[in-house]
Amino acid sequence: MPELPEVEVTRLGLLDRLPGRLVQVVNWSGQRLRGLMPRKLLQEEIAGQRIRTVDRRAKYLLLRMESGAVLVLHLGMTGKLGLMATAVPRHKHDHLVLSLEGDLDMRLNDSRRFGFVGVWPAATAVRLEKEFSDRQGLEPFGPRFTAVNLHALAQRRSIPVKTFLMHGDIVAGIGNIYANEILFAARIHPLTTVSLLTPADWRRIVKYTHSILKKAIAAGGSSISDFLGTSGHPGYFQLQLQVYGRKGEACPRCAATIVKIDISGRSAFYCPHCQGRKA
DNA sequence: CAATATACCTGGATGC
DNA sequence: TGCATCCAGGTATATT
């Protein structure tokens, strides 16, 4: 589910309340998420430590401890991080619970278990973070996310532009919803072979990536079926989506009928009139 | 190496 | 109401 805006909304919610707080107890469900739960490291490196700050890289949240250790969290498709009083009953699919000082729990709830929990120990965190970060693509709000760089990266590729934007080791943070919305705004057909895009095409992609992701963050993210912020409130950007999930509806720009096709196993929504095919 | 297919999970919507 | 089927915001791995 969560793409960059939803992860960022989650980060801001955590940043409000976690820094300076002691992790008193760590609990986990017996189930594996994308990887096995790192029980030993959670106990040794996270329990008893104080949280310094919360960062984001790609769709990952990095909870940095004062010791230098890092708790790495990914929300997968259905993950939500909630902050609530310790007395609130736990729910099915709560797979990680940090009991913090001040009667506050941080709980990772993830029904499909595509999420991820990892720990970088204080002694090796710097090296592990570099290796991790080197595997991630360009940050949409980073200095290297430019039309020139994207154009260069696309030269050796023959994949559809939508697949390119969603490929996490090329561009970080963009998933199915926002890839569709960015390409609609930029008036580019999602199947366009990425090496054929012009510098002007890339300038529009960069511009609309920035504006759409910013608006989505400001709206609290998109709650298509079940995304919630850390306070349990949904986002509202789904009300502003122009094409995602709107098969059969009228294009908001030209009133042609929005269509849905399969691209690399994911649903692509676009306006066949506004987003003319380009080879 | 690059592109594509498949696997990992649960639950909600849909159709019979 | 029950049951089968399809679909879903992601990513790692296997296969071509």
Side-chain angles (χ1 to χ4, degrees):
Chain A
M1 97 173 193
E3 306 181 32
L4 186 149
E6 292 74 33
V7 178
E8 188 63 16
V9 165
T10 300
R11 185 182 77 87
L12 294 171
L14 299 179
L15 204 53
D16 242 13
R17 305 188 64 188
L18 296 193
R21 225 179 272 252
L22 183 69
V23 180
Q24 292 172 322
V25 180
V26 181
N27 285 104
W28 48 81
S29 71
Q31 295 185 288
R32 61 174 294 146
L33 306 190
R34 199 200 314 156
L36 290 175
M37 192 62 71
R39 306 169 186 219
K40 187 156 177 281
L41 289 176
L42 285 168
Q43 204 58 263
E44 292 173 356
E45 300 281 340
I46 305 301
Q49 299 299 325
R50 207 171 282 279
I51 297 167
R52 186 165 61 75
T53 193
V54 185
D55 289 330
R56 178 189 59 74
R57 174 75 172 105
K59 295 171 189 159
Y60 291 83
L61 288 163
L62 309 178
L63 276 66
R64 300 188 190 280
M65 304 292 131
E66 289 185 352
S67 65
V70 182
L71 175 59
V72 184
L73 302 175
H74 191 286
L75 301 177
M77 292 273 259
T78 50
K80 296 166 281 289
L81 278 173
L83 295 175
M84 66 276 289
T86 311
V88 173
R90 292 189 190 175
H91 286 87
K92 191 176 177 183
H93 307 306
D94 280 347
H95 294 296
L96 181 71
V97 178
L98 301 193
S99 300
L100 306 160
E101 70 185 326
D103 184 40
L104 187 69
D105 269 15
M106 187 197 79
R107 300 181 190 170
L108 172 64
N109 183 280
D110 181 9
S111 58
R112 282 177 79 181
R113 288 192 275 129
F114 288 170
F116 175 81
V117 175
V119 174
W120 298 331
T124 50
V126 171
R127 175 174 59 81
L128 292 176
E129 177 162 358
K130 182 176 185 331
E131 289 171 4
F132 160 81
S133 197
D134 286 348
R135 291 194 299 271
Q136 308 301 320
L138 298 180
E139 278 294 331
F141 292 114
R144 289 158 44 73
F145 189 78
T146 63
V148 168
N149 285 343
L150 290 165
H151 185 259
L153 284 170
Q155 289 320 294
R156 304 168 263 137
R157 304 282 190 150
S158 64
I159 51 179
V161 58
K162 176 166 179 284
T163 307
F164 179 92
L165 292 177
M166 291 175 65
H167 210 117
D169 53 16
I170 304 173
V171 175
I174 297 177
N176 206 30
I177 293 179
Y178 296 103
N180 280 301
E181 294 296 308
I182 290 162
L183 292 173
F184 173 75
R187 301 183 186 240
I188 295 169
H189 193 293
L191 274 178
T192 310
T193 299
V194 75
S195 59
L196 300 180
L197 293 177
T198 64
D201 290 330
W202 285 113
R203 285 194 290 275
R204 293 200 310 287
I205 287 175
V206 168
K207 172 177 148 186
Y208 290 115
T209 297
H210 286 155
S211 63
I212 288 169
L213 295 182
K214 254 181 223 166
K215 278 185 210 161
I217 293 166
S222 299
S223 292
I224 296 300
S225 68
D226 60 1
F227 172 74
L228 300 174
T230 54
S231 303
H233 301 298
Y236 293 96
F237 194 71
Q238 67 278 9
L239 303 174
Q240 297 180 57
L241 296 176
Q242 307 291 294
V243 288
Y244 180 84
R246 298 194 181 281
K247 173 187 172 185
E249 296 182 29
C251 166
R253 259 195 321 239
C254 76
T257 302
I258 294 167
V259 300
K260 171 183 174 181
I261 61 172
D262 185 285
I263 301 180
S264 311
R266 312 303 300 276
S267 297
F269 297 88
Y270 66 99
C271 170
H273 180 253
C274 294
Q275 296 166 265
R277 182 64 189 281
K278 197 171 169 187

